[in-house]
């Protein structure tokens, strides 16, 4: 039997070096992120939390990217919708719920920041701030450190397409390109910068902008989980070979409002949203698993129930957890200089 015949017998994920267990795990994290997001929206509507920025519709690309990276050594600078990503690299639903409830145990900021400002030292998730896309120059800085110290890791950064028009994006890309730094840059293009549609904010493709900075740009279907995995994996390998950055533009659609303070039907129609909901990547990936013969509806029902229980338990824990004490407000804000 020749090599071509063997490859034809393999599933797409096997050709990419992924096991059946790994792709099922990817599907699990997509569902978990979706269930967390849906619960958090309900909590805000019920007055239990103040604010939420949703990532519904963007989970597939987030999870695929996480699986394509080295979750033990790489550094991550996600943006505020990346629940699927941070769950996949090791954060728990309980930790995310502590953040949305602004409780003292919140590992991101001890209840100081708005939800979505991820930060976790043990997982190498670098703390984000409210001004959008400031994390891109920071990612470039981590990549510069890797190059200077000859350490074998990449930094990975995400952001929305609206903020790709800001100076931080261009300055970060320019420096990364000049220095050929090991950074993977992924734009999650959900087609709306709050209320501004893509055609009014971007001329051409965001991925094409990479050419001006001397490195490749790739546009990929963000609902095609395995294709995103392939593109991110190749970008990481290229970076580790010393060939510099890659800009990935993952095309997707934000199925939820920009945030809980937003009425998205003011600037887009229900028919438009429904048309994209029919292209949702999660049921698409589930169908792929079923067609591969490694998944079925019974297992799906069992997984859905387990994940819902995980969300319920995380919600209950965070709801009952204590708020930060006023006297602890300045803890970890300033460096401890040892009494100097």
């Amino acid at each position: 039997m020749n090599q071509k015949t063997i490859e034809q017998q393999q599933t797409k994920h096997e050709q990419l070096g992924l096991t059946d267990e790994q792709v099922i795990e990817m599907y699990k994290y997509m569902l978990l992120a979706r269930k967390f997001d849906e619960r958090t929206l309900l909590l805000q509507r019920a007055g239990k939390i103040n604010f939420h920025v949703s990532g519904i519709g963007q989970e597939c690309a987030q999870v695929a990217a996480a699986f394509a990276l080295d979750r033990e050594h790489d550094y991550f600078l996600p943006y505020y919708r990346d629940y699927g990503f941070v769950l996949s690299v090791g954060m728990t639903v309980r930790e995310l719920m502590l953040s949305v409830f602004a409780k003292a145990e919140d590992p991101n900021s001890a209840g100081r920041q708005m939800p979505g400002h991820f930060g976790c030292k043990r997982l190498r998730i670098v703390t984000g701030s409210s001004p959008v896309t400031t994390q891109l120059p920071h990612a470039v800085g981590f990549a510069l450190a890797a190059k200077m110290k000859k350490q074998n890791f990449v930094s990975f950064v995400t952001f929305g397409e609206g903020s790709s028009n800001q100076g931080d994006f261009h300055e970060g890309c320019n420096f990364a390109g000049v220095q050929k730094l090991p950074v993977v840059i992924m734009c999650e293009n959900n087609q709306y910068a709050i209320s501004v549609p893509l055609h009014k904010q971007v001329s051409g493709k965001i991925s094409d902008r990479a050419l001006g900075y001397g490195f490749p740009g790739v546009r990929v279907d963000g609902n095609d989980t395995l294709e995103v995995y392939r593109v991110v994996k190749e970008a990481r390998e290229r970076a580790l070979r010393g060939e510099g950055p890659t800009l990935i533009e993952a095309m997707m659609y934000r199925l939820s409002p920009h945030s809980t303070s937003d009425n998205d039907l003011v600037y887009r129609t229900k028919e438009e949203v429904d048309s994209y909901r029919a292209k949702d990547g999660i049921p698409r990936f589930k169908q792929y698993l079923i067609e591969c013969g490694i998944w079925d509806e019974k297992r799906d029902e069992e997984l859905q129930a387990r994940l819902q229980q995980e969300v319920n338990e995380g919600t209950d824990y965070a709801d009952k957890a204590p708020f930060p004490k006023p006297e602890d407000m300045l803890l970890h804000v300033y460096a401890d200089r040892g009494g100097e």
Side-chain angles (χ1 to χ4, degrees):
M1 185 179 294
N2 61 40
Q3 184 65 28
K4 184 175 181 181
T5 304
I6 294 172
E7 289 177 356
Q8 287 174 340
Q9 291 180 345
Q10 290 181 320
T11 62
K12 183 175 181 180
H13 66 269
E14 288 173 332
Q15 292 176 32
L16 292 170
L18 289 165
T19 65
D20 294 348
E21 292 74 18
Q22 285 175 308
V23 289
I24 291 171
E25 190 81 351
M26 292 168 80
Y27 177 60
K28 182 195 86 170
Y29 281 116
M30 294 174 202
L31 285 179
L32 185 59
R34 178 68 59 90
K35 288 183 180 296
F36 163 80
D37 220 322
E38 291 172 342
R39 170 58 58 83
T40 310
L41 287 169
L42 290 175
L43 289 169
Q44 195 279 333
R45 294 294 187 244
K48 300 286 288 185
I49 64 172
N50 293 320
F51 182 74
H52 178 62
V53 180
S54 175
I56 292 177
Q58 302 183 209
E59 301 95 342
C60 294
Q62 295 169 2
V63 173
F67 273 73
L69 298 163
D70 186 335
R71 288 173 280 178
E72 298 296 325
H73 299 97
D74 293 340
Y75 282 80
F76 312 119
L77 295 94
Y79 93 125
Y80 51 83
R81 298 190 194 278
D82 277 347
Y83 305 108
F85 183 86
V86 297
L87 285 167
S88 297
V89 299
M91 292 199 79
T92 66
V93 170
R94 177 182 289 190
E95 289 173 326
L96 292 181
M97 282 297 180
L98 286 165
S99 177
V100 300
F101 276 92
K103 296 301 181 73
E105 292 179 57
D106 164 32
N108 297 278
S109 68
R112 294 177 175 85
Q113 272 276 30
M114 291 189 297
H117 293 73
F118 308 109
C120 187
K121 186 175 181 179
R122 81 174 191 277
L123 299 173
R124 296 164 315 287
I125 299 173
V126 182
T127 301
S129 61
S130 294
V132 293
T133 312
T134 54
Q135 69 270 22
L136 202 155
H138 298 162
V140 171
F142 274 84
L144 177 63
K147 182 177 180 180
M148 292 175 66
K149 294 182 177 182
K150 296 180 170 56
Q151 294 181 344
N152 199 38
F153 70 83
V154 307
S155 61
F156 175 78
V157 59
T158 59
F159 51 93
E161 82 288 346
S163 60
S164 71
N165 299 320
Q166 298 184 184
D168 287 306
F169 168 82
H170 298 284
E171 293 167 17
C173 286
N174 186 62
F175 190 84
V178 170
Q179 299 293 330
K180 291 191 179 301
L181 299 179
V183 54
V184 178
I185 303 166
M186 188 168 91
C187 173
E188 296 183 26
N189 188 339
N190 65 22
Q191 305 189 50
Y192 279 94
I194 306 183
S195 61
V196 182
L198 182 63
H199 71 274
K200 290 188 177 181
Q201 52 168 310
V202 174
S203 177
K205 298 179 182 178
I206 292 169
S207 53
D208 286 345
R209 295 177 178 179
L211 298 175
Y213 301 116
F215 55 86
V218 182
R219 177 179 270 195
V220 62
D221 178 359
N223 286 321
D224 188 336
T225 304
L226 295 178
E227 190 63 10
V228 175
Y229 173 87
R230 181 189 68 79
V231 168
V232 175
K233 187 172 185 287
E234 289 180 357
R236 183 180 187 273
E237 292 169 350
R238 180 177 178 277
L240 290 177
R241 290 195 301 267
E243 298 174 20
T246 302
L247 172 60
I248 299 165
E249 182 183 13
M251 301 300 297
M252 54 189 67
Y253 189 85
R254 169 167 54 80
L255 293 172
S256 51
H258 169 75
S259 70
T260 50
S261 60
D262 171 45
N263 179 7
D264 62 314
L265 295 182
V266 171
Y267 54 83
R268 61 184 186 179
T269 65
K270 182 178 182 300
E271 289 74 21
E272 177 185 311
V273 178
D274 288 343
S275 70
Y276 279 96
R277 197 178 301 280
K279 305 172 186 175
D280 186 358
I282 294 180
R284 175 175 169 181
F285 196 60
K286 172 188 170 182
Q287 184 60 33
Y288 168 80
L289 298 178
I290 291 172
E291 290 174 358
C292 288
I294 60 175
W295 200 244
D296 56 49
E297 291 296 344
K298 184 176 184 298
R299 292 183 69 185
D300 198 73
E301 290 174 8
E302 293 170 351
L303 176 62
Q304 298 264 4
R306 288 200 308 273
L307 297 181
Q308 193 60 59
Q309 181 63 27
E310 187 174 343
V311 171
N312 293 344
E313 290 174 355
T315 304
D316 292 342
Y317 182 90
D319 190 21
K320 296 171 184 175
F323 285 103
K325 298 176 182 177
E327 59 267 30
D328 293 339
M329 182 169 49
L330 297 182
L331 279 177
H332 311 301
V333 174
Y334 299 101
D336 183 359
R337 297 178 62 86
E340 292 182 17

